Amino acid sequence: MRRSQALAARAEKLFPGGVNSPVRAFRAVGGEPPFVERAEGAYLWDADGNRYIDYFGSWGPMILGHAFPPVVEAIREAAARSASFGASTAAEGDLAERIVACYPAIEKLRFVSSGTEATMSAIRVARGATGRKIIVKFEGCYHGHADGLLVKAGSGVATFGIPGSAGVPEEIAQLTLALPFNDLAAVEAAFEAHPGEIACVIVEPVVGNAGCIPPAPGYLQGLRRVTQKNGALLIVDEVMTGFRVALGGACALYGIDPDLVTLGKVVGGGLPVGVFGGKRVFMDQLAPLGPVYQAGTLSGNPLAMAAGLATVGYLQKHEDEVYARLERLSAAVAEGVAGAAAQAGIAMATNRVGAMWTWFFSEGPVTNYKEAAKSDTQRFGGFHRAMLEAGVWLPPSQFEAAFMSTAHTEEDVERTIAAARGAFQAQ
Ligand code: KE4
């Protein structure tokens, strides 16, 4: 029995589905998920010594590649001074200053330990600041697993949501409106149907959790205008896009000035960090200054601050070189595989923004979740398994984004395209 299989057999007894996060179980693509033993640069090695080119990068954080030496060294040094104090440190301010320099919309922020905590807290600030209860999210966008965000669209456009998970009471789901992404009229209709009741709109500015879906031209600016007009806060969830699509994320790329921003993934350099922040007038609603409560034992954890500082500091110092490389390599692999699909007569829609992209096995364009859902997920599963066999580890779902790191090389891209060619010929 392969060591991964033995580890999986044990994990099945210990963890629901054998995993600590559902997508890792490969249920969407089939096959047996390898257990990772170590990683370096662009590569993962599994428990049986097989090497893979990594295109999910821990779901976004590893933008500089795995075990990036400055990050490893920073964590090592911080660990020698104790892993956690539960008291304020200079490192929190050092990382916060770097974040504020990259995200002008953030005047004040709070560190938390996950993207879920960040979005959950940002929504509480919006409700506390406005005294309103209803929130708006978009189909296909994922913002973590807080109850009010695990909601599916209701029957009509402006009708309330229904629970997207067991355990979420309908009373909670009914405070969330789930609207189609890239449809500004739907948002305007929601505000007309619920005047004075909507606390905030939360959006993935480039959707990553339905696969990659870019905003239509003017859409994000439209959300800014409609929320401003109706006294609701705009929360831009940059947990995935932050420091990825640009150093200043989608806020910089699309020129938007939200009321609140959430960050995660890259900002922690692979350690658990979430951030929510924004305009001072809203953030000062938080305890101990104001009436909105939020807290966390490991918020601002020194090891996580050290990893985040080393990562964000490197991205800031080498911004031009880093994002030019990410753009070049991402374009090459996205277009190269799309070209191989076209040569094999396979329908594929490729969406990409910077160093995040998705190959949809779809006839038509993918501009919202309904169109993404028409993709041939069976064919994606076969593609994923064939690529894994060939030593290329793609995100194990049609509805996830692939990620590039600065550690990937042109040779890795060529090898990936060749593997895709082989996979398409075999399909
Ligand atoms: P976490 O609680 O998983 O740190 O962050 C939640 C979150 C919030 N906002 C956005 C835009 C996100 O993409 C995420 C988490 N992303 C998924 C990947 N699609 C995490 C991977 C997983 O669930 O295992």
Side-chain angles (χ1 to χ4, degrees):
M1 177 188 256
R2 291 184 309 126
R3 181 155 160 66
S4 270
Q5 286 171 326
L7 290 170
R10 180 182 65 170
E12 293 285 341
K13 298 191 191 89
L14 294 164
F15 313 115
V19 290
N20 282 295
S21 199
V23 70
R24 303 178 190 175
F26 277 25
R27 292 293 166 94
V29 293
E32 296 171 335
F35 274 58
V36 175
E37 188 111 299
R38 71 182 182 91
E40 190 175 344
Y43 311 120
L44 300 164
W45 281 267
D46 70 15
D48 297 285
N50 302 303
R51 192 192 82 159
Y52 306 87
I53 302 172
D54 176 8
Y55 284 108
F56 64 108
S58 178
W59 302 95
M62 311 319 284
I63 198 164
L64 295 175
H66 291 284
F68 187 62
V71 174
V72 174
E73 199 38 48
I75 296 170
R76 203 195 305 275
E77 280 170 13
R81 298 193 295 271
S82 178
S84 181
F85 312 122
S88 295
T89 65
E92 292 160 277
D94 296 342
L95 182 53
E97 282 178 341
R98 291 182 177 281
I99 292 167
V100 166
C102 298
Y103 293 82
I106 297 180
E107 294 175 339
K108 278 192 176 177
L109 60 93
R110 272 270 165 89
F111 288 114
V112 291
S113 300
S114 71
T116 293
E117 267 193 276
T119 58
M120 176 179 76
S121 308
I123 287 168
R124 189 176 307 132
V125 167
R127 284 173 160 154
T130 61
R132 301 177 181 183
K133 292 182 180 177
I134 296 174
I135 65 172
V136 171
K137 75 174 290 289
F138 298 96
E139 290 170 295
C141 288
Y142 175 71
H143 304 285
H145 61 90
D147 280 355
L149 290 166
L150 292 180
V151 166
K152 286 193 294 204
S155 53
V157 166
T159 53
F160 291 121
I162 51 180
S165 161
V168 173
E170 58 271 7
E171 293 84 354
I172 300 271
Q174 287 185 359
L175 294 176
T176 303
L177 290 171
L179 304 179
F181 181 71
N182 271 338
D183 177 348
L184 204 51
V187 182
E188 288 162 337
F191 276 102
E192 274 156 39
H194 305 283
E197 296 178 276
I198 296 174
C200 63
V201 170
I202 184 166
V203 66
E204 284 189 63
V206 176
V207 180
N209 290 288
C212 178
I213 303 178
Y219 177 67
L220 297 174
Q221 291 75 3
L223 290 183
R224 177 64 290 181
R225 193 174 56 253
V226 172
T227 47
Q228 210 122 39
K229 191 175 90 180
N230 290 280
L233 271 61
L234 176 61
I235 302 174
V236 169
D237 179 359
E238 296 234 41
V239 166
M240 187 183 287
T241 54
F243 301 104
R244 174 156 292 280
V245 299
L247 180 65
C251 288
L253 195 61
Y254 298 101
I256 38 175
D257 180 23
D259 299 298
L260 297 173
V261 180
T262 53
L263 294 165
K265 299 179 190 277
V266 171
V267 75
L271 267 66
V273 176
V275 174
F276 67 105
K279 300 298 184 275
R280 191 173 290 110
V281 63
F282 301 124
M283 293 301 288
D284 281 351
Q285 296 288 318
L286 282 160
L289 276 187
V292 179
Y293 193 72
Q294 175 274 332
T297 302
L298 297 176
S299 296
N301 172 269
L303 303 198
M305 294 297 102
L309 266 166
T311 300
V312 173
Y314 186 91
L315 294 173
Q316 284 178 303
K317 188 173 177 192
H318 304 279
E319 179 181 1
D320 294 347
E321 172 199 337
V322 162
Y323 291 97
R325 180 178 182 81
L326 290 172
E327 175 60 25
R328 187 174 74 252
L329 292 171
S330 304
V333 76
E335 290 155 22
V337 169
Q343 278 170 350
I346 292 172
M348 180 176 277
T350 303
N351 286 352
R352 180 178 71 84
V353 178
M356 62 187 273
W357 73 92
T358 298
W359 295 295
F360 291 98
F361 286 84
S362 160
E363 296 290 342
V366 175
T367 64
N368 58 38
Y369 178 65
K370 276 196 171 43
E371 291 169 356
K374 289 178 190 153
S375 302
D376 183 342
T377 50
Q378 291 301 316
R379 187 182 279 274
F380 181 88
F383 178 56
H384 184 275
R385 291 192 299 277
M387 293 296 271
L388 195 70
E389 192 56 37
V392 177
W393 194 329
L394 300 177
S397 165
Q398 172 67 95
F399 306 117
E400 292 289 353
F403 299 117
M404 184 58 74
S405 85
T406 52
H408 287 74
T409 64
E410 283 76 2
E411 189 196 359
D412 293 324
V413 166
E414 286 317 309
R415 194 173 310 132
T416 304
I417 297 166
R421 210 169 277 126
F424 294 145
Q425 275 150 19
Q427 280 195 354

